[in-house]
Amino acid sequence: MEKIIDEKKQGNTLVMEPQERNGRKLFIESYGCQMNFNDSEIVASILSKEGYNTTQNLEEADLVLVNTCSIREKAEQTVRKRLEKYNAVKRINPGMKVGVLGCMAERLKSKFLEEEKIVDLVVGPDAYKDLPNLINEVEEGQNAVNVILSKEETYGDISPVRLQSNGVSAFVSITRGCDNMCTFCVVPFTRGRERSRDPQSIIEEVNDLAEKGFKEITLLGQNVDSYLWYGGGLKKDFKNASEIQKATATNFASLLRMVAEAQPKMRIRFSTSNPQDMTLDVIDVMAEYQNICNYIHLPVQSGSNKMLEKMNRLHTREEYFELIDNIKKRIPDCGISHDLITGFPTETEEDHQDTISLMEYVKYDFGFMFAYSERPGTMAARKFEDDVPEEVKKRRLTEIVNLQQEHSKYNTERFLGKTVEVLIEKESKKSDAHWAGRNSQNTMVVFPKENYQIGDFVNVRIEDCTSATLIGEAVGYSENN
């Protein structure tokens, strides 16, 4: 399951610096996971070469694109409301073209184009290089669609435009698609089978970001731990590779080491991990390199073996505990977060209590918690009745959220009196006299600005905390400056 970003906070217009040679205006919004935001940067790069500058002003746009998410019903509802807004503007500006990108595009292409007639253009996640041709078709008066899923496309040859960037942190895509057929998840059907990107192109992108002054990158994929480069092609076809290809293949631990060594002063993060694919060599590489952050997002989805099997998660509760134990043994101060779904079909009170006890065992730093909502096209929608009453789902979700609040406070209190390294990312939301940035464990830290600047690595002594934020005083620059 993809890590979800709150649409209200992160569903934003993305803006790039204008280029004088470009005359047409592109308005692009992204919803859903970090992968969608990274894809929008790829789209902006492709269209900048076609004469488009991005704009924050919807009314002046020649082309309006929304990059969509299908993983939760709420995300789809949000996108539909935005399409209504676009079309209201389009009635005033009939020359404006509207397109849908991403996961909803693949799933609802006929509905959008033929039944509801609310868009001109529908483009799936593997077809962004075809955008110039599709736009030409639209300008000639035709509806245009390309939702073909690719076995090869990784966009490794596209240098993304860093949209609305703070100039400090950036995402670097390393895989596309997913082979894990979790029964609740639509991603394999909307993003296709898993394939990995050439490690050399990844290193080149990381080096380019370093030259541009970025201080932190997140290696991004639906399932980063199953990264495997053997010359190109689908992960599932690795079994047919030559002996030389197999002997020289690059796995995720090797890639992580390459990136860490390429830029020793750049912070490295990665997301998302899958318990069934995370190996001890990845944890060992994390422990070995100071610039790889001590933080793992490790979705579990449920603490019940019965539910895990029904979800087609290829790990058990006991195997998950073993992985957690190994992480904490090798990286004692590692921050760990989760995804959890409550109310999956047939979930009993006993299953729910298994999830509660798993949370008590791990004591996660934070998490992303959802009540199950049936997604069309998934195995769960086809095979299982959504039989847990809504009021039961809400009550269980409340119990999970409340427990996570307790654990989050427990974890932030561990930092009281300690000094942590913080990369300054932005001004604090609550005070223009304070900076905000994250420590290695991905916890937000705020402290008085003094003479420090965005992009500085600063040592901060922690004096107070909430369940989500550390509060302290800067004691000087860290050795990474």
Side-chain angles (χ1 to χ4, degrees):
M1 179 174 173
E2 296 186 60
K3 178 179 175 183
I4 301 302
I5 298 175
D6 184 346
E7 298 91 343
K8 291 181 182 176
K9 293 179 183 174
Q10 302 286 349
N12 285 327
T13 311
L14 302 174
V15 184
M16 60 186 273
E17 289 298 313
Q19 299 172 26
E20 289 183 10
R21 65 184 176 81
N22 290 348
R24 293 186 285 183
K25 301 290 186 181
L26 166 68
F27 180 94
I28 183 167
E29 286 186 327
S30 299
Y31 293 89
C33 70
Q34 293 163 333
M35 205 73 181
N36 277 2
F37 283 78
N38 186 249
D39 279 0
S40 290
E41 295 180 337
I42 290 168
V43 168
S45 179
I46 291 168
L47 292 182
S48 71
K49 294 179 175 65
E50 299 297 316
Y52 284 90
N53 283 332
T54 55
T55 176
Q56 285 183 293
N57 186 352
L58 174 61
E59 284 71 18
E60 73 175 12
D62 300 291
L63 176 64
V64 175
L65 299 175
V66 57
N67 202 340
T68 62
C69 174
S70 274
I71 210 157
R72 281 193 293 146
E73 187 177 3
K74 180 186 174 186
E76 289 199 0
Q77 290 171 347
T78 303
V79 167
R80 284 191 171 278
K81 287 179 183 174
R82 293 304 290 160
L83 287 171
E84 290 173 13
K85 168 71 173 175
Y86 299 160
N87 279 283
V89 175
K90 191 174 181 179
R91 284 191 286 274
I92 302 167
N93 176 15
M96 187 178 89
K97 305 301 180 186
V98 176
V100 169
L101 312 177
C103 295
M104 276 179 76
E106 206 288 327
R107 196 174 78 73
L108 296 174
K109 52 188 179 293
S110 300
K111 213 171 209 357
F112 284 150
L113 277 173
E114 296 159 18
E115 294 176 35
E116 300 179 16
K117 301 187 188 306
I118 53 174
V119 299
D120 307 291
L121 183 71
V122 175
V123 188
D126 289 347
Y128 297 142
K129 286 181 182 175
D130 197 28
L131 268 165
N133 296 328
L134 296 170
I135 291 169
N136 287 337
E137 288 181 24
V138 169
E139 289 174 345
E140 291 170 5
Q142 306 172 53
N143 288 331
V145 57
N146 185 342
V147 293
I148 297 170
L149 293 174
S150 170
K151 294 182 178 180
E152 300 289 340
E153 186 61 78
T154 64
Y155 299 109
D157 58 333
I158 302 289
S159 179
V161 171
R162 303 297 165 179
L163 298 166
Q164 208 181 41
S165 169
N166 59 8
V168 176
S169 303
F171 293 115
V172 176
S173 176
I174 67 168
T175 71
R176 295 188 73 83
C178 186
D179 287 348
N180 296 323
M181 302 296 287
C182 300
T183 57
F184 55 78
C185 187
V186 74
V187 167
F189 307 104
T190 59
R191 286 189 169 270
R193 299 304 294 261
E194 187 177 314
R195 62 271 187 202
S196 296
R197 180 179 165 190
D198 184 340
Q200 195 54 46
S201 75
I202 295 169
I203 297 298
E204 287 170 4
E205 184 173 340
V206 170
N207 289 340
D208 180 62
L209 286 166
E211 286 177 15
K212 290 174 178 173
F214 284 83
K215 302 295 181 70
E216 177 183 273
I217 56 109
T218 299
L219 303 177
L220 199 61
Q222 257 74 39
N223 182 10
V224 291
D225 295 279
S226 66
Y227 174 90
L228 184 64
W229 172 261
Y230 60 98
L234 297 179
K235 169 84 178 283
K236 72 180 183 67
D237 293 334
F238 179 66
K239 61 182 181 296
N240 301 322
S242 69
E243 292 306 311
I244 292 176
Q245 285 177 312
K246 289 179 179 177
T248 57
T250 302
N251 65 9
F252 183 57
S254 300
L255 176 69
L256 201 54
R257 184 184 299 276
M258 289 165 63
V259 174
E261 291 181 352
Q263 294 295 334
K265 292 211 165 186
M266 179 179 267
R267 266 192 182 178
I268 315 297
R269 300 185 186 273
F270 55 87
S271 186
T272 294
S273 292
N274 191 303
Q276 73 198 45
D277 294 306
M278 184 164 226
T279 52
L280 294 184
D281 58 348
V282 170
I283 302 166
D284 287 338
V285 171
M286 290 179 67
E288 183 180 347
Y289 289 89
Q290 177 272 336
N291 60 328
I292 302 176
C293 289
N294 292 342
Y295 166 68
I296 300 171
H297 181 63
L298 196 63
V300 66
Q301 310 304 356
S302 175
S304 160
N305 280 335
K306 188 184 88 178
M307 288 295 97
L308 290 171
E309 184 176 1
K310 203 172 187 71
M311 292 174 171
N312 198 35
R313 300 288 288 177
L314 303 182
H315 64 86
T316 63
R317 169 190 177 91
E318 291 75 23
E319 287 167 339
Y320 190 86
F321 284 158
E322 184 180 355
L323 180 57
I324 291 292
D325 290 345
N326 277 311
I327 292 169
K328 292 186 173 182
K329 179 180 177 183
R330 288 166 162 80
I331 313 172
D333 62 344
C334 191
I336 304 172
S337 60
H338 66 78
D339 291 343
L340 274 172
I341 298 172
T342 190
F344 195 72
T346 75
E347 184 185 69
T348 64
E349 199 60 32
E350 183 181 359
D351 297 322
H352 173 60
Q353 290 304 320
D354 282 346
T355 294
I356 295 293
S357 68
L358 179 137
M359 292 178 70
E360 291 282 18
Y361 184 91
V362 180
K363 289 187 169 58
Y364 294 100
D365 292 68
F366 56 91
F368 300 85
M369 297 150 280
F370 311 101
Y372 173 72
S373 64
E374 188 175 270
R375 308 310 298 130
T378 61
M379 187 69 72
R382 294 198 300 271
K383 289 198 166 185
F384 308 140
E385 180 187 354
D386 186 3
D387 59 354
V388 179
E390 284 302 314
E391 61 270 19
V392 174
K393 288 181 184 178
K394 287 179 182 177
R395 189 258 303 163
R396 290 176 184 170
L397 181 59
T398 298
E399 290 177 11
I400 287 170
V401 170
N402 289 343
L403 182 59
Q404 183 55 59
Q405 286 284 97
E406 291 178 25
H407 291 163
S408 294
K409 187 71 185 295
Y410 165 83
N411 281 297
T412 54
E413 286 175 346
R414 290 185 304 136
F415 289 102
L416 292 175
K418 295 182 179 178
T419 298
V420 300
E421 183 189 69
V422 178
L423 173 58
I424 301 175
E425 298 176 20
K426 59 187 178 181
E427 196 173 84
S428 168
K429 287 181 182 178
K430 295 184 178 179
S431 167
D432 60 8
H434 289 73
W435 288 126
R438 289 170 295 162
N439 66 1
S440 180
Q441 290 77 14
N442 209 38
T443 304
M444 190 59 70
V445 184
V446 297
F447 59 95
K449 282 183 174 179
E450 298 182 37
N451 295 319
Y452 301 105
Q453 302 296 323
I454 289 175
D456 286 345
F457 286 99
V458 181
N459 289 323
V460 178
R461 185 177 62 250
I462 304 305
E463 299 168 343
D464 198 2
C465 68
T466 68
S467 61
T469 307
L470 301 173
I471 302 157
E473 294 277 344
V475 295
Y477 293 103
S478 86
E479 61 184 21
N480 273 324
N481 281 292

